[in-house]
Amino acid sequence: MNHSQSGHEPGREPEEQSTRDDHGHSQDHDRAQGHGSAQAHNPNQAHDHNRAHDHALHTNLKRGMESRHLQMISLGGVIGTGLFLSSGYTIQQAGPIGTILAYGIGALIVYLVMLTLGELSVAMPVTGSFHVYADKFIGPATGFVVAIQYWLTWTVALGSEFTAAGLLMQRWFPETPTWIWSAACIVLIFTANALSVRFFAEAEFLFASIKVFAICAFIAIGLLAIFGIIPIAGYTHAPLFGNLVKDGIFPNGFMPVFATILTVNFAFSGTELIGVTAGETRDPETAVPKAIHTTLWRLVLFFIGSITVMCALIPWREAGVGESPFVLVFNSIGIPYAGDIMNFVVLTAVLSASNSGLYASTRMVWSMGNEGMIPRWFAKTNRRGVPMLALCAAMAGGLLALLSSVIAASTVYLVLVALSGLSAVVVWIAIAYCQIVFRRRWLASGHTVEELKYRTPGYPWVSWAAFALCTASFILVVFDESQRFALVAELVFIVACYAVYFLTAKLRKPRADWQR
């Protein structure tokens, strides 16, 4: 693959490169679909008109992110309140070994998906990558469904994070209404995203760094306590790892472990943000693979390391019954203000998750406008390369989700949460299948594997394993009674999305007219 094919010509400024890459019209992209180079440059007159219209609207995003930003953004989207607050409940369900096993299997599934995403993101670094790939390699209807699914995932998350921020601040300011702090969070996160992609990335780097530091400190201090180097309440000797197998490997049986694997899949959703950011990343062919590998092993270290420490120091039946297991461990060791410290860490986790969520939701709206799925002016950017209309639309969706959590928590919001839980798995299934089709078309169009700057290792076994495991995770939800409603809601929603697409396809004007 030469430089012009990959969209990274030597001597070009990053912003100039993004014009072609961000619209997904590079030669590699089109040739992977079996088109010749002449057709890729000028498939029809409408395409030329649209290309000129791109510059009239100014729809170019800026490549302002580096590898360190990608790694922290991906971590920031994954490490949230689930690890800090809800991990004790997970341990109670599956037991220590069962929880560790579930997180290990979940990490493997996500890693396989990320390996397939790496090949696609490097070959076609387009913002809003998932639905663009689904559009090209599966079909426009599926592209539309994937876009809506992923947008919904983060929009619902925004509503819950804004609520959580207000509740967390109540610990320090109990007399202040919750909505004031939620509003402050909304203003802060909106501003971080509105200034520039670089400002967003630096803010996310700061928020995620605090979380990462807290987890590393927890693991380090916990290990010192485990081996008896520092004292911990309730033990006169080094606890070591006896609590992990005290009541057997699977004290509640194996089925709770299976249910936990499903929960873990949802917990790891957010790693695919690497694909969303590829279109705004400098040197994606180097940054994306590095971010994929480093992010996954860090997630395994942070999640499994934290849970191992919790289970070793606290009897698993007592882990996080009414309090964060992190606070329980810190209090047992005698660290002062443990509750306040963790409240601050969880607050930064909330800010980080909402920051990443608003970015992801915004870029999905921008990408749908850029691809003509919705009116094209949603793809318009300002002089700083920020799609303000898409940002406002994404924030509006988050505010509606927040409103539904207040006035219709048991109906509308319950359905939204159920849908968002499985939407990420649907996106992963699409990613794995798109890579399989992409590789086939790449080879069929006369290219060789060696031309790819990054190749999914172990193809096709890794790709099919990712597809099969994600599909199994989705289907087997039916065996978990607590999540069966989510599966039904998700299937109905998918059918509804396809129906909306095909109905509107007959009613709306051709895409070229939309883009005029």
Side-chain angles (χ1 to χ4, degrees), residues 109 112-113 116 138 425-426 428-434 436 460-475:
I109 293 173
L112 294 177
V113 174
T116 63
I138 302 177
V425 180
V426 172
W428 292 353
I429 294 171
I431 290 170
Y433 188 71
C434 284
I436 293 169
W461 305 110
V462 165
S463 306
W464 280 113
F467 177 80
L469 289 171
C470 289
T471 303
S473 297
F474 181 82
I475 295 174

Side-chain angles (χ1 to χ4, degrees), residues 276-326:
V276 176
T277 59
E280 294 175 270
T281 303
R282 296 173 182 172
D283 190 19
E285 64 188 47
T286 300
V288 170
K290 182 179 180 181
I292 287 171
H293 292 297
T294 56
T295 297
L296 265 296
W297 73 255
R298 286 178 183 178
L299 285 177
V300 170
L301 174 66
F302 295 156
F303 276 86
I304 296 181
S306 297
I307 289 168
T308 301
V309 168
M310 292 176 203
C311 295
L313 296 177
I314 306 172
W316 67 275
R317 295 185 188 276
E318 302 172 16
V321 177
E323 196 171 18
S324 165
F326 281 74

Side-chain angles (χ1 to χ4, degrees), residues 57-78:
L57 275 178
H58 194 280
T59 61
N60 300 332
L61 300 175
K62 292 188 175 181
R63 293 188 180 276
M65 284 189 269
E66 301 171 2
S67 180
R68 65 184 179 91
H69 295 133
L70 255 68
Q71 295 172 38
M72 282 301 183
I73 288 168
S74 186
L75 287 172
V78 178

Side-chain angles (χ1 to χ4, degrees), residues 112-127:
L112 294 177
V113 174
M114 292 306 104
L115 290 177
T116 63
L117 178 60
E119 181 174 309
L120 291 167
S121 296
V122 172
M124 296 169 290
V126 291
T127 299

Side-chain angles (χ1 to χ4, degrees), residues 19-26 29-30 33 47 50 54 59 126-136 140 143-144 147 363-380 501 508 510-512 514-515:
T19 302
R20 177 172 54 210
D21 286 342
D22 289 340
H23 298 306
H25 294 311
S26 69
H29 191 143
D30 290 311
Q33 302 171 65
H47 182 85
N50 296 337
D54 289 349
T59 61
V126 291
T127 299
S129 58
F130 319 129
H131 84 88
V132 176
Y133 302 151
D135 184 300
K136 305 301 180 185
F144 175 78
R363 268 41 181 191
M364 199 54 62
V365 174
W366 175 90
S367 187
M368 285 192 287
N370 191 55
E371 294 296 315
M373 293 180 175
I374 58 178
R376 192 158 179 81
W377 36 265
F378 276 109
K380 183 178 180 181
Y501 176 83
R508 71 186 180 214
R511 180 173 295 188
W514 269 84
Q515 294 174 329

Side-chain angles (χ1 to χ4, degrees), residues 71-73 75-77 79 203-213 348 352:
Q71 295 172 38
M72 282 301 183
I73 288 168
L75 287 172
I79 302 174
E204 187 58 31
F205 187 85
L206 173 63
F207 291 146
S209 295
I210 294 173
K211 292 190 292 188
V212 169
F213 176 79
T348 61
S352 172

